[in-house]
Amino acid sequence: MSIQTPQKPLPGAYIQTPAVSRFQSFQSRQPSSVSQQQNGNQQQSQALSQQGQSVQQGQKSETQDVPPIERAAKAVNEALSEESQYPDLDSYIGQGISSEYEVTTQPAWAPFQKTKMHPIPDRIFEQYNRAQVSTIMGLFADFNHAWVAIDNALYLWDYTHPNPDLVSFEEQPHTVTAVRLVKPRVGVFVPAVIRLLVVATTADIIIIGLSAQPAPHGGQSVALYSLKMSAPVKGLDVNIIEGSDSTGRVFFSGRLSDDVYEFTYQQEERWFQHRCTKVNHTQKGYSTFTPATFFSQRAQQETVVQMIMDDTRRLLYTLSSRSTIRTFHLKGNGVLDLVITKPFGQTLSNVGHMTSQSDLISPSMTIVSISAITAQEATKIHLMASTSTGCRIFMSATSSYGNYSSSSNAPTSMQVQHVKFPPADTTTSNSTQVAPYSSTPGINTSSKSLVPTRSAIRYAPGYFLAFIVKDQQSGTDLLFVSGPDSARIARPQDQQRLTRYAELALWLNLGSRAEDVGIATEPFSASSSPVGFGNELAVQFDKPTSEIAILTNTGVHMLRRRRLVDIFAAALRLGGGDEGLEGEVKKFIRQYGPGETASTALAVACGQAFDVTSDSRLARILDSDVLEHARKAFIEYGGKPLFNENSMLDPSMPAIDLVQPSPRHRGLSRYISRLVRSVWKAPVIRELLTPTGGLIISSSVPMNKLKEISQDLTKLKEFLNVNKSFIEGLAGPEALGNVKTKQDEVCLHAEHRALHALVILIDNIIEGLAFVLVLYDEKIEETVLSLANEVRQQVRNLSYEGLCTTALGKQLAKDLVKAIVNRNILSGSNVETVAEALRRRCGSFCSADDVIIFKAQEYVKRASEAGADADVCRDYLNESLRLFKQVTGSLSMEQLHWIIENYVSLQFYAGSIQLCLDKAQESDRGGRALTWIQEGRPQGDKRIEVFEFRRRCYDLVHQVISSMERSRTESPDMVDGHLTLAGRRREEAADEIDTSDDEVFQTDLYDWYLQENRSDRLLEVESPYVITYLERRSSDDIAHADLLWKYYLQNERYQDAAMVQLALAKSQFVLSLDQRISYLGNAKTNASTTRPGIVRSSRTEVLREVSDLLDVANIQSDLLQRLKGESRITADRRPQVIEELNGQILPLTVLFNTYCEPAFYFDLCILIYEAADHRVASDIKATWQNLLEDAHTQAELTSQGPQPYEMVADTVRALGNRLGLSETMFPVADLLPMLKRYAFNYQSQVGPETWVVDIFTDLQVPYESIYAVLENMFYNDEAPFQRRNRRFIGNDIVYIAKAWFQDSIRGSGTIFGGEDNAMAVSEMLHTVMQTDLDERRLEECQNLRMRIENMLR
């Protein structure tokens, strides 16, 4: 086993090792307590040691590989998710009672502050002085307008304007009794009418149209339109009007009854239906149309004193003079059903179950006001009722099925859910009572601090204003205002207990009587569901701070909700010295936690806090002292990272992942999330279709909002950059000098990793927002429409989070940048100016390389405009190519496609090929694709992706080649013997291809040639890569192998061709036996061809191997053909046998033992002996004997076939020809006697008497060899050729001697090859004559002997 050098561990891998101190000389001076502490932590160190060792062994966590931007995005998403889980109202206003307030007397901690008082214009007082009957006042706070009705005249004015104009309505003669601003029904009026001013008089109820336009000074100017719509209400004395924003329905009631009326209106009159009318929803019959008179009134008539609408549940609540609460459900078709009546006594009974006797809850009190709590804010709680004693009674409503009501499910019952008692009265002694439904001790149920409450109102998410009249003679109101302590509700100090309804409150002396109250800003909403709805912390920097307008008889008082950041800044400003400041910061940490304190301090340091100036202006707190104190608070009180020792038992996690970042990191991520919360999940673009089918693209976030976020993030970035040397985790390597243990080092590393990721995210978001601003500065519709459909869909789904944190978002931004530039190119704009502007504002999306690309694209456009044949066109193209080659690595495939398309259209073929090859090389500098090819292209290898990208580049080269080929039909290469311009361009491109040293390209090019059935083109290429390519591919594909030996033949490399053909014959390819034999035959021919430079020994060796293998293949072929017709093989076995033999060339051992010998194919066995060089004479002789017997047997079994001797003769003759008269395999000395015995024993008197000898003469066996064998047989006197039977041998001797004699006397040769042989033959003939020859043979023998003797003389 090889020992490898261990990898260098990451910081923190060896936690048990103490860090080296810079002050080693002072270590001995450490106090003894330090050593004791170290000894006390010995067990912890051992556990850390084990953890460190496990990390040292190479175990990694997946989080180590998380890119910083993903890590930061995760932190922001976690912060957003945490804030979205802000407790809903139902969770902290549960069943029971409470009285928890923190009534502050310190201005710095006040939850609200008076910003300004807008006086009532003098012109109003002038009109007031003329009043004769009545005067009423009110607010339209959402329009920053107030109104006053003096007798029959109604006046409106913008109370924010120092010298406002009065908008009056004086066109009717009756005294105005009530005024209300409502939303109209959709589709009834023109779009300019955005509100309806409902005016009730002693005789009629009138609706007036109201429009609003932005005013130059920043407010809104309103205009009134007479709609000529009214209904009679004489005798009702209307004093209350309420409208439904969602339906446009208008309800009202009067001082003389508790009836609820509806004022209906429509565009046109219809049969039996006027444009305007009133409907009584609580009384039926004739009384609906008959107004009440003085004589019909009952004593102490119950009347409606307040009416409020909850559009989210489609409920209308009324409060009567007897403190009875009624609930009406709005249905379709103008129906209004009374579903719940909650008498005051029943309410008292409900409260009595929650608390014992209290002076504040008694029949003597009254309910002075009710406030609806929408379904968006709470699921269970529907309503808050305020009592004259200052108690707040929260009520829930349920349906008959036990479910809480909704817009479609009307409630049927109402119960008291919670009672919030007033704060403690510091002027009287307090008594406490423990509530049975609450675990909080010391609930004050007897405080009369809010007695008597004249009126009260609640605004979401819990702003409560109570107007108390302490001095009836003065006629002025004391205002008690409270709001939820969102930070404590979001993160209670005791996580084990239920969230308590914590509130911050203060007292304000208005110095006058309040006439009306209105919310001057958008209704608060941090989310669209109860969970997260009331989180004021989350929207501190995202939405305008809530402002409440209070109209009194002196003017309009503006009350501003103070954010936590404002309170903290004020605390720092008014804290009073360093000790006081430290106390304020620690108080914040105790109440709201270190993370929220860090986030708030950071916001103050970045200039997010506001305060009211001495001249009643709202301005940022930019005091250097406050900013410096906030900076110190963030740095010094940001906490430290925490090592999670509970996770040490998991050895799979690196130590750095066991560290929880500091509260400072949590505060930073929280602050970032609050800045970007409104855009984080929002889409970058929003597409709308016009009625004519056109496309309008708008931003889902206002441009001003994007600029604000960008500015805030830029300030944050500057703050972190300026103070990074003081912030632990951003200070850099210098901070390592302060660590004392390895654990501290790991914690510091983890902190740096977390904070650095957030810094990167800040940069990304700033650039992303800058890019979006640039995008909307351009013609965005044209830009988006120019994108491909797939890209356009991705852009449509792209959120700001995706844009700033994902690779896809960055790529889509680049696609949009390219689209912008391309549009400017087409329009003829200066591309360089546009690109440079993009690079400066959002460099990540438009880099310096992008600018070069755009400049090069402009040159291509100029070349296109000049035309392909212009001289300047080639200059432009060459310049563009030079620029493109500078930034090859930054070119996308889409850009490359565009370039090549334009280059080809301008016949710039060589440049196209150069750029494609450069792009391919740039994408794979390490040559991974080539090594993958050289290793046989293994599947599942990561290098496949690299090769595939290169191949996409090469595909473009293929397109260029195809375009070149097509262009030949239009412009030939040669005209009148001269090379044309088009021909020269094609020749340049061909040179680029042929001279390329990119082996991967050449390989891909050859593949493409074969795919296009252009193998002839491949054979024409003169490149060393062709042989390398074919050799590499021939191992996998027979077509490439065939091309290889053809390429060798074409280049006269016969020996190499033969070797390839031999390899094919021996290969594992699916080839038939005939194909293999054909390869071997061609290989034998090529190996036999001589050529200068070929080593003879090598050629001989190849030739011998080919020949030997060819012999085996021929034997196998014979065996295959024979077995095809073999009747002894079953039908099931036959295909298997044929498949085994009609393929690869099998070893001789297999052919012999498996097939030939078991099948009694003795001739093939002999051939196998020959091929295997098997020279055992006995085996050969026995096989020949078996062969003869088998041939005889086969002949006898065939009735109409040849005679047995003929079969035997043909068999011997055929095999002799195959064996080439091999002395070993065709032993004449054995075969001739064997055949003679066969003829004598089995074929006597059958056929010619010399047929045996004729076999050998036909095979051209030398006469002297045949004669010698016959002579031996004659003299050996072996059976059956003994005594008289010797004549059979004698006849053959005479026959062969005569043939030999005739052959030898031809020409000038000597007889029998010499006198000695002639004399021996003569003597032999003399001996033969002594045997019992027949007369004919005897006469032939005598004549032959005489001729021999005559010639010897």
Side-chain angles (χ1 to χ4, degrees):
M1 180 178 178
S2 61
I3 301 177
Q4 298 180 356
T5 303
Q7 295 181 354
K8 182 178 180 180
L10 292 172
Y14 303 95
I15 309 176
Q16 73 280 9
T17 307
V20 178
S21 173
R22 292 187 176 183
F23 311 100
Q24 294 182 359
S25 60
F26 296 95
Q27 288 182 355
S28 60
R29 300 182 184 179
Q30 296 287 341
S32 59
S33 59
V34 175
S35 61
Q36 293 174 0
Q37 181 179 359
Q38 293 177 350
N39 293 333
N41 294 335
Q42 183 176 4
Q43 295 179 352
Q44 176 182 348
S45 299
Q46 292 176 355
L48 293 173
S49 174
Q50 296 176 359
Q51 175 68 18
Q53 291 172 0
S54 66
V55 175
Q56 180 184 356
Q57 292 172 359
Q59 297 172 329
K60 287 188 175 183
S61 171
E62 294 181 358
T63 56
Q64 286 278 46
D65 301 327
V66 176
I69 192 65
E70 291 186 17
R71 191 183 306 279
K74 179 182 178 183
V76 171
N77 282 320
E78 287 176 351
L80 289 171
S81 176
E82 179 187 22
E83 299 211 307
S84 68
Q85 298 304 312
Y86 182 90
D88 60 329
L89 192 66
D90 298 321
S91 65
Y92 59 85
I93 303 183
Q95 189 79 19
I97 62 175
S98 65
S99 64
E100 184 176 357
Y101 297 87
E102 184 174 339
V103 182
T104 180
T105 57
Q106 302 177 15
W109 288 82
F112 293 86
Q113 65 181 156
K114 289 177 64 176
T115 59
K116 194 171 186 179
M117 197 277 286
H118 302 285
I120 297 176
D122 293 339
R123 296 173 60 187
I124 296 297
F125 284 114
E126 293 175 2
Q127 297 294 331
Y128 176 76
N129 292 331
R130 301 172 187 171
Q132 296 179 358
V133 179
S134 68
T135 302
I136 55 176
M137 303 174 68
L139 284 173
F140 302 145
D142 50 345
F143 286 95
N144 296 328
H145 274 64
W147 60 268
V148 60
I150 302 173
D151 295 338
N152 67 319
L154 175 65
Y155 301 100
L156 285 72
W157 75 94
D158 182 355
Y159 57 75
T160 63
H161 197 282
N163 187 23
D165 294 329
L166 297 183
V167 179
S168 62
F169 173 68
E170 302 172 325
E171 285 75 17
Q172 58 87 31
H174 306 288
T175 301
V176 176
T177 59
V179 178
R180 185 71 172 178
L181 196 65
V182 300
K183 286 187 178 181
R185 280 171 44 201
V186 177
V188 176
F189 306 104
V190 295
V193 176
I194 59 173
R195 293 289 189 276
L196 294 180
L197 187 60
V198 185
V199 180
T201 70
T202 55
D204 303 289
I205 185 166
I206 307 166
I207 59 173
I208 305 165
L210 182 144
S211 65
Q213 297 292 334
H217 68 277
Q220 295 188 77
S221 61
V222 300
L224 302 181
Y225 300 93
S226 175
L227 302 177
K228 296 182 179 180
M229 287 186 173
S230 64
V233 292
K234 191 172 183 179
L236 295 181
D237 197 8
V238 176
N239 66 331
I240 296 172
I241 305 173
E242 180 64 14
S244 169
D245 290 345
S246 62
T247 62
R249 297 173 69 176
V250 178
F251 304 97
F252 62 92
S253 185
R255 293 186 179 91
L256 303 179
S257 72
D258 61 349
D259 293 336
V260 175
Y261 293 86
E262 179 177 359
F263 177 77
T264 63
Y265 56 92
Q266 59 189 10
Q267 275 186 325
E268 299 175 352
E269 291 190 6
R270 300 175 186 174
W271 288 100
F272 306 107
Q273 193 172 6
H274 298 288
R275 289 184 67 197
C276 302
T277 186
K278 68 178 187 297
V279 177
N280 189 337
H281 288 289
T282 53
Q283 287 189 3
K284 307 300 180 184
Y286 70 92
S287 61
T288 304
F289 306 99
T290 305
T293 64
F294 175 79
F295 300 100
S296 64
Q297 293 182 359
R298 300 186 302 271
Q300 298 181 352
Q301 172 67 43
E302 183 180 15
T303 61
V304 174
V305 297
Q306 190 182 2
M307 187 182 295
I308 58 171
M309 184 72 206
D310 181 1
D311 278 304
T312 61
R313 296 187 176 95
R314 300 178 71 87
L315 297 179
L316 176 69
Y317 302 101
T318 64
L319 174 65
S320 77
S321 56
R322 297 176 183 175
S323 298
T324 298
I325 299 173
R326 292 179 174 86
T327 304
F328 297 85
H329 185 235
L330 277 69
K331 294 185 177 180
N333 299 322
V335 177
L336 183 70
D337 286 344
L338 175 63
V339 291
I340 299 174
T341 298
K342 186 76 172 177
F344 182 56
Q346 194 177 104
T347 302
L348 289 176
S349 176
N350 290 159
V351 175
H353 290 83
M354 297 181 180
T355 180
S356 58
Q357 186 67 31
S358 170
D359 293 340
L360 302 181
I361 305 296
S362 66
S364 62
M365 75 169 187
T366 60
I367 297 177
V368 296
S369 67
I370 56 175
S371 298
I373 298 176
T374 64
Q376 188 180 0
E377 187 176 0
T379 302
K380 294 189 293 185
I381 299 176
H382 287 53
L383 192 70
M384 186 197 80
S386 301
T387 70
S388 58
T389 57
C391 295
R392 281 177 280 170
I393 303 174
F394 294 90
M395 298 182 176
S396 62
T398 57
S399 68
S400 58
Y401 301 101
N403 299 321
Y404 294 100
S405 66
S406 62
S407 60
S408 59
N409 184 21
T412 56
S413 64
M414 180 174 287
Q415 304 83 28
V416 174
Q417 185 78 12
H418 187 90
V419 179
K420 185 74 179 270
F421 284 90
D425 189 353
T426 57
T427 62
T428 60
S429 59
N430 298 330
S431 64
T432 61
Q433 173 189 349
V434 178
Y437 294 94
S438 174
S439 59
T440 304
I443 298 177
N444 192 332
T445 62
S446 59
S447 171
K448 297 184 179 181
S449 59
L450 301 184
V451 176
T453 297
R454 180 174 64 85
S455 65
I457 193 168
R458 179 190 184 275
Y459 295 111
Y463 309 147
F464 174 63
L465 289 83
F467 298 93
I468 300 97
V469 182
K470 291 293 186 180
D471 185 0
Q472 297 289 343
Q473 300 298 326
S474 65
T476 61
D477 287 335
L478 187 64
L479 173 62
F480 174 81
V481 57
S482 66
D485 192 349
S486 301
R488 290 173 63 187
I489 293 174
R491 298 170 187 88
Q493 296 176 356
D494 189 354
Q495 299 288 345
Q496 304 299 323
R497 299 177 62 182
L498 294 175
T499 303
R500 294 184 297 176
Y501 187 11
E503 286 187 284
L504 295 173
L506 81 159
W507 290 90
L508 291 174
N509 191 350
L510 296 178
S512 56
R513 176 183 174 86
E515 300 292 341
D516 198 4
V517 183
I519 186 80
T521 53
E522 288 288 332
F524 181 87
S525 171
S527 74
S528 58
S529 62
V531 176
F533 177 89
N535 193 351
E536 294 181 276
L537 300 176
V539 297
Q540 285 184 94
F541 322 114
D542 184 49
K543 291 187 176 182
T545 306
S546 297
E547 290 189 2
I548 300 172
I550 304 173
L551 176 65
T552 69
N553 52 12
T554 59
V556 179
H557 300 260
M558 300 305 299
L559 198 62
R560 175 178 176 269
R561 170 66 163 169
R562 299 182 75 204
R563 304 168 301 169
L564 192 63
V565 63
D566 303 328
I567 294 174
F568 186 74
L572 294 179
R573 173 186 279 178
L574 305 175
D578 293 337
E579 294 182 1
L581 289 172
E582 183 178 356
E584 296 293 340
V585 173
K586 289 183 177 179
K587 178 181 178 181
F588 247 79
I589 294 175
R590 285 195 306 271
Q591 290 196 180
Y592 306 130
E596 191 61 51
T597 302
S599 175
T600 307
L602 180 60
V604 173
C606 292
Q608 288 285 1
F610 284 83
D611 199 2
V612 179
T613 63
S614 58
D615 57 351
S616 300
R617 290 186 302 105
L618 190 66
R620 290 184 183 271
I621 300 178
L622 299 177
D623 301 358
S624 58
D625 292 342
V626 175
L627 299 183
E628 176 62 20
H629 292 322
R631 184 189 73 86
K632 286 184 178 180
F634 177 73
I635 295 173
E636 297 175 5
Y637 294 92
K640 293 184 176 295
L642 177 65
F643 191 86
N644 187 2
E645 299 176 3
N646 294 327
S647 300
M648 289 172 56
L649 299 177
D650 185 1
S652 64
M653 293 184 66
I656 191 173
D657 291 334
L658 302 179
V659 178
Q660 178 181 346
S662 67
R664 182 185 298 106
H665 168 268
R666 193 158 60 252
L668 177 57
S669 60
R670 195 173 290 168
Y671 179 57
I672 296 173
S673 71
R674 290 169 180 173
L675 290 179
V676 303
R677 71 182 303 273
S678 61
V679 302
W680 192 246
K681 299 295 183 181
V684 174
I685 68 170
R686 181 172 55 192
E687 292 188 0
L688 298 173
L689 293 178
T690 64
T692 59
L695 178 66
I696 297 177
I697 296 179
S698 61
S699 174
S700 59
V701 181
M703 293 293 103
N704 290 336
K705 183 64 177 178
L706 295 180
K707 293 176 182 177
E708 289 176 8
I709 297 173
S710 180
Q711 292 170 0
D712 291 338
L713 287 172
T714 302
K715 292 178 183 177
L716 174 60
K717 176 183 176 181
E718 293 172 353
F719 174 83
L720 295 176
N721 187 48
V722 170
N723 296 281
K724 64 181 180 181
S725 59
F726 306 104
I727 299 174
E728 184 176 344
L730 291 180
E734 297 81 5
L736 292 173
N738 299 324
V739 301
K740 297 180 180 180
T741 66
K742 200 64 181 181
Q743 178 175 331
D744 292 342
E745 182 181 341
V746 175
C747 290
L748 183 61
H749 182 200
E751 181 78 355
H752 171 75
R753 184 179 69 172
L755 290 178
H756 178 66
L758 290 176
V759 171
I760 294 176
L761 176 63
I762 293 170
D763 286 336
N764 281 21
I765 298 175
I766 292 173
E767 284 202 350
L769 296 178
F771 166 73
V772 174
L773 292 172
V774 172
L775 182 64
Y776 280 98
D777 285 342
E778 298 289 328
K779 295 181 179 179
I780 188 171
E781 288 83 2
E782 296 180 8
T783 302
V784 172
L785 288 175
S786 65
L787 299 172
N789 289 334
E790 180 181 358
V791 177
R792 181 181 170 188
Q793 181 60 41
Q794 290 174 334
V795 170
R796 189 182 294 119
N797 298 331
L798 180 65
S799 65
Y800 283 88
E801 177 191 7
L803 173 67
C804 302
T805 65
T806 65
L808 175 61
K810 189 171 185 179
Q811 182 57 49
L812 292 176
K814 288 189 173 184
D815 291 337
L816 287 167
V817 168
K818 294 168 191 172
I820 292 173
V821 173
N822 290 335
R823 188 183 62 78
N824 280 275
I825 290 175
L826 293 175
S827 63
S829 302
N830 190 329
V831 175
E832 190 171 356
T833 303
V834 175
E836 187 62 30
L838 286 167
R839 187 190 66 78
R840 286 196 309 270
R841 298 181 65 178
C842 41
S844 297
F845 306 136
C846 183
S847 62
D849 286 355
D850 293 329
V851 175
I852 295 176
I853 292 172
F854 299 147
K855 188 184 298 184
Q857 288 176 331
E858 190 170 13
Y859 277 116
V860 174
K861 180 176 179 291
R862 292 179 184 177
S864 299
E865 293 172 350
D869 296 330
D871 293 337
V872 70
C873 173
R874 198 59 40 174
D875 295 336
Y876 286 146
L877 291 175
N878 287 327
E879 180 62 19
S880 70
L881 179 62
R882 183 186 68 81
L883 293 174
F884 281 134
K885 294 179 80 170
Q886 290 179 12
V887 292
T888 306
S890 299
L891 288 175
S892 67
M893 286 306 299
E894 181 183 0
Q895 290 171 327
L896 191 61
H897 274 277
W898 181 88
I899 296 167
I900 300 307
E901 181 180 351
N902 283 273
Y903 276 3
V904 169
S905 66
L906 297 172
Q907 299 182 0
F908 193 37
Y909 305 122
S912 302
I913 294 170
Q914 282 184 34
L915 190 59
C916 291
L917 296 183
D918 284 358
K919 178 63 178 177
Q921 289 280 29
E922 183 68 22
S923 68
D924 182 24
R925 293 184 177 182
R928 299 175 65 199
L930 180 59
T931 59
W932 177 71
I933 292 173
Q934 291 172 342
E935 292 174 10
R937 309 187 182 208
Q939 296 296 320
D941 197 297
K942 293 183 178 179
R943 294 171 293 180
I944 295 178
E945 297 178 3
V946 181
F947 171 76
E948 288 297 332
F949 184 84
R950 294 189 69 151
R951 189 163 68 177
R952 291 172 63 190
C953 300
Y954 301 146
D955 287 342
L956 294 176
V957 178
H958 304 160
Q959 295 177 19
V960 175
I961 296 174
S962 299
S963 298
M964 289 167 50
E965 296 298 330
R966 289 193 298 269
S967 67
R968 293 183 192 276
T969 59
E970 301 175 0
S971 54
D973 292 340
M974 305 291 291
V975 174
D976 297 333
H978 298 285
L979 187 65
T980 63
L981 178 60
R984 186 182 305 113
R985 291 170 178 171
R986 287 189 287 266
E987 191 176 84
E988 292 172 355
D991 290 341
E992 289 290 338
I993 295 172
D994 294 339
T995 59
S996 172
D997 59 355
D998 185 349
E999 186 174 347
V1000 181
F1001 164 64
Q1002 296 289 357
T1003 300
D1004 182 75
L1005 178 65
Y1006 303 151
D1007 283 338
W1008 181 68
Y1009 282 152
L1010 297 181
Q1011 291 173 4
E1012 297 293 317
N1013 297 321
R1014 299 180 62 181
S1015 57
D1016 55 336
R1017 178 70 183 91
L1018 177 60
L1019 297 177
E1020 294 172 359
V1021 175
E1022 295 181 3
S1023 171
Y1025 296 118
V1026 176
I1027 294 177
T1028 303
Y1029 164 77
L1030 292 175
E1031 286 178 345
R1032 187 182 297 125
R1033 299 300 298 270
S1034 61
S1035 60
D1036 301 324
D1037 185 16
I1038 190 172
H1040 290 84
D1042 284 334
L1043 286 174
L1044 179 59
W1045 65 260
K1046 291 177 182 178
Y1047 189 83
Y1048 281 140
L1049 282 181
Q1050 186 164 309
N1051 290 274
E1052 298 183 353
R1053 295 175 59 174
Y1054 302 109
Q1055 184 79 3
D1056 293 329
M1059 293 179 68
V1060 174
Q1061 291 167 334
L1062 173 61
L1064 280 171
K1066 297 163 63 177
S1067 69
Q1068 300 292 326
F1069 291 124
V1070 180
L1071 295 171
S1072 67
L1073 185 59
D1074 289 340
Q1075 289 175 306
R1076 296 178 188 272
I1077 292 174
S1078 175
Y1079 281 128
L1080 290 172
N1082 293 331
K1084 187 173 183 180
T1085 302
N1086 292 324
S1088 302
T1089 304
T1090 59
R1091 184 174 178 268
I1094 298 178
V1095 181
R1096 182 178 179 84
S1097 59
S1098 175
R1099 183 175 66 85
T1100 304
E1101 182 180 350
V1102 173
L1103 182 61
R1104 181 171 57 251
E1105 183 180 359
V1106 171
S1107 299
D1108 291 345
L1109 191 60
L1110 182 59
D1111 291 339
V1112 177
N1114 286 328
I1115 295 172
Q1116 185 172 331
S1117 178
D1118 292 341
L1119 176 61
L1120 174 62
Q1121 298 304 321
R1122 195 169 299 180
L1123 288 176
K1124 286 182 179 179
E1126 179 62 69
S1127 60
R1128 292 175 291 174
I1129 302 178
T1130 62
D1132 295 338
R1133 171 66 176 157
R1134 189 184 307 278
Q1136 181 181 355
V1137 171
I1138 293 175
E1139 182 180 359
E1140 291 174 356
L1141 292 174
N1142 193 25
Q1144 294 186 10
I1145 301 174
L1146 303 177
L1148 289 172
T1149 303
V1150 175
L1151 295 177
F1152 183 85
N1153 294 326
T1154 305
Y1155 298 103
C1156 294
E1157 188 178 39
F1160 306 133
Y1161 296 154
F1162 301 110
D1163 54 341
L1164 299 182
C1165 290
I1166 294 172
L1167 292 174
I1168 291 174
Y1169 293 156
E1170 171 70 13
D1173 199 20
H1174 183 73
R1175 296 177 178 274
V1176 179
S1178 59
D1179 291 343
I1180 296 170
K1181 184 176 180 180
T1183 304
W1184 272 106
Q1185 184 64 48
N1186 292 333
L1187 176 62
L1188 299 181
E1189 293 176 1
D1190 184 68
H1192 177 78
T1193 303
Q1194 293 296 329
E1196 286 185 339
L1197 294 176
T1198 306
S1199 59
Q1200 296 181 354
Q1203 293 292 326
Y1205 83 90
E1206 292 176 330
M1207 178 72 77
V1208 171
D1210 291 341
T1211 301
V1212 175
R1213 192 178 292 111
L1215 189 55
N1217 285 323
R1218 292 280 298 276
L1219 294 172
L1221 300 181
S1222 169
E1223 293 181 0
T1224 305
M1225 298 302 143
F1226 194 81
V1228 178
D1230 292 331
L1231 290 176
L1232 185 54
M1234 192 182 301
L1235 288 168
K1236 287 301 295 181
R1237 285 193 292 271
Y1238 166 75
F1240 180 82
N1241 293 328
Y1242 299 103
Q1243 297 294 304
S1244 178
Q1245 305 299 322
V1246 179
E1249 59 181 6
T1250 60
W1251 68 270
V1252 173
V1253 177
D1254 290 340
I1255 293 173
F1256 294 95
T1257 56
D1258 292 342
L1259 294 172
Q1260 297 183 356
V1261 176
Y1263 292 111
E1264 55 268 34
S1265 298
I1266 301 172
Y1267 176 81
V1269 175
L1270 291 173
E1271 183 180 25
N1272 289 335
M1273 291 178 64
F1274 186 84
Y1275 285 117
N1276 287 342
D1277 196 26
E1278 294 179 356
F1281 304 109
Q1282 298 172 334
R1283 302 188 218 24
R1284 189 170 180 276
N1285 289 339
R1286 291 174 63 192
R1287 71 179 185 274
F1288 294 109
I1289 303 301
N1291 287 337
D1292 289 339
I1293 291 174
V1294 173
Y1295 177 76
I1296 200 64
K1298 182 179 179 180
W1300 188 6
F1301 174 78
Q1302 291 175 350
D1303 181 69
S1304 61
I1305 63 175
R1306 293 190 184 98
S1308 59
T1310 58
I1311 60 173
F1312 299 111
E1315 291 184 359
D1316 294 341
N1317 289 340
M1319 292 177 62
V1321 171
S1322 178
E1323 292 177 1
M1324 185 62 194
L1325 290 175
H1326 177 71
T1327 303
V1328 170
M1329 290 173 57
Q1330 307 301 319
T1331 59
D1332 190 11
L1333 297 174
D1334 55 36
E1335 293 182 0
R1336 185 173 60 81
R1337 288 297 183 194
L1338 181 59
E1339 182 178 354
E1340 288 180 2
C1341 183
Q1342 289 174 349
N1343 293 336
L1344 178 59
R1345 186 170 182 274
M1346 288 177 61
R1347 295 180 65 183
I1348 294 172
E1349 291 295 334
N1350 288 334
M1351 295 186 70
L1352 289 175
R1353 292 193 184 103

